């Protein structure tokens, strides 16, 4: 299992370090792999708190370019340099707010892997796409368009996040999650054999009260958690749900 907290654009340095401290102190022995993704400007301070703990840290995005004249952007190498070990790429909020295309996301995945970061690649359909029956084909297209054509090695975890379930309190049904995760698993086996066994996370309004039934599904290897990752008790509750046999 892999439990990831996406802190998005929230909080102050003091709040971020306090949250990290509470997670370090509260993390049970034998917890699943746990990662947090603080805002970029909080990475250095959070990294100090996490030092020596099993919780690892990543960035929420990186540039597809290596370096140079890209005002405001952050390179994968800069994330690695500040102590990040992973990066979220292709989150639906980046696709929507910044118009990121699959081709750009593919460059970012390659940049992240090139810098030695573990990548959490997000895919997921909008409500209109689900209602028109296109959910699986949309996600398949995102996988095809955003994973490297020739896999360069390294670690990629897939996060299936239906856009309409993010931050809305609406969770996909267990049947929908199971069938999408099954499709992703099959697609990876056929098209990206290096990633055939990788974790496939679910994301979208995961909380302590619904985590256990989601984690019980066959191909669900953990969660990408937004809102509930900002409260240490909730995030630790989700981690506890992932430890249930
Ligand atoms: P949410 O966000 O848990 O607040 O729905 C999930 C995500 O965007 O990764």
């Amino acid at each position: 299992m892999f439990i990831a907290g996406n802190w998005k654009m929230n909080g102050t340095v003091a709040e971020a370090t306090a949250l990290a401290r509470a997670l370090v102190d509260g993390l049970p022995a034998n917890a699943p792999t746990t990662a947090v993704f603080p805002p970029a400007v909080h990475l250095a301070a959070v990294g100090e708190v996490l030092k020596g703990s099993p919780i690892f840290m990543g960035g929420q995005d990186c540039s597809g370019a290596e370096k140079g004249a890209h005002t405001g952007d952050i390179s994968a190498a800069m994330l690695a340099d500040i102590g990040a070990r992973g990066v979220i790429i292709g989150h639906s909020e980046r696709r929507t707010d910044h118009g990121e295309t699959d081709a750009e996301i593919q460059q970012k995945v390659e940049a992240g892997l090139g810098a030695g970061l573990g990548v959490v690649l997000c895919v997921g359909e909008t409500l209109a796409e689900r209602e028109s029956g296109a959910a699986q084909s949309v996600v398949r297209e995102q996988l095809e368009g955003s994973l490297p054509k020739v896999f360069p090695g390294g670690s990629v975890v897939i996060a299936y996040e239906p856009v309409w379930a993010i931050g809305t309190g609406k969770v996909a049904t267990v049947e929908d999650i199971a069938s999408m995760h099954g499709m992703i698993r099959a697609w990876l086996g056929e098209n990206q054999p290096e990633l055939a066994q990788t974790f496939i996370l679910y994301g979208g309004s995961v909380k302590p009260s619904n985590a256990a039934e989601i984690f019980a599904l066959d191909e669900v290897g953990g969660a990408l958690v937004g809102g509930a990752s900002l409260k240490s008790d909730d995030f630790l509750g989700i981690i506890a749900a992932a430890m249930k046999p």
Side-chain angles (χ1 to χ4, degrees):
M1 283 271 176
F2 178 84
I3 309 297
N6 174 9
W7 294 358
K8 306 192 179 181
M9 194 172 73
N10 289 294
T12 60
V13 174
E15 284 164 346
T17 52
L19 179 54
R21 167 59 50 208
L23 296 178
V24 170
D25 292 346
L27 195 77
N30 306 320
T33 307
T34 302
V36 294
F37 295 83
V41 291
H42 297 165
L43 285 169
V46 169
E48 282 302 313
V49 177
L50 297 179
K51 218 172 245 172
S53 94
I55 302 174
F56 77 84
M57 179 180 85
Q60 297 174 9
D61 174 52
C62 70
S63 172
E66 203 184 316
K67 62 176 180 174
H70 301 283
T71 303
D73 286 347
I74 295 170
S75 73
M78 288 171 175
L79 289 177
D81 183 50
I82 204 119
R85 291 171 54 200
V87 60
I88 296 172
I89 294 178
H91 191 280
S92 67
E93 286 150 17
R94 299 230 31 112
R95 294 177 190 261
T96 307
D97 295 355
H98 299 275
E100 287 187 10
T101 63
D102 285 344
E104 284 162 341
I105 290 164
Q106 188 180 58
Q107 285 182 347
K108 292 180 177 210
V109 171
E110 286 174 358
L113 292 173
L117 300 175
V119 169
V120 178
L121 172 66
C122 300
V123 294
E125 81 286 357
T126 62
L127 186 57
E129 288 162 345
R130 171 152 294 273
E131 284 175 346
S132 71
Q136 296 219 348
S137 61
V138 165
V139 168
R140 205 174 301 119
E141 238 172 68
Q142 289 172 338
L143 291 169
E144 268 158 21
S146 28
L147 283 166
K149 291 285 168 268
V150 180
F151 193 70
S155 159
V156 178
V157 164
I158 309 294
Y160 167 56
E161 300 202 302
V163 177
W164 47 274
I166 295 176
T168 58
K170 289 187 196 137
V171 186
T173 64
V174 286
E175 291 79 14
D176 289 342
I177 299 172
S179 74
M180 187 64 85
H181 278 233
M183 184 284 285
I184 294 171
R185 178 69 68 210
W187 187 92
L188 291 170
E190 277 165 37
N191 299 284
Q192 291 273 344
E194 298 88 345
L195 300 178
Q197 304 302 325
T198 198
F199 288 125
I200 306 174
L201 314 182
Y202 171 77
S205 299
V206 176
K207 32 185 196 267
S209 58
N210 61 19
E213 70 167 343
I214 295 170
F215 294 154
L217 297 170
D218 264 358
E219 297 295 355
V220 174
L224 180 55
V225 185
S229 73
L230 294 171
K231 294 188 199 116
S232 58
D233 286 353
D234 285 355
F235 195 56
L236 290 167
I238 292 167
I239 289 168
M243 294 172 71
K244 290 203 181 112

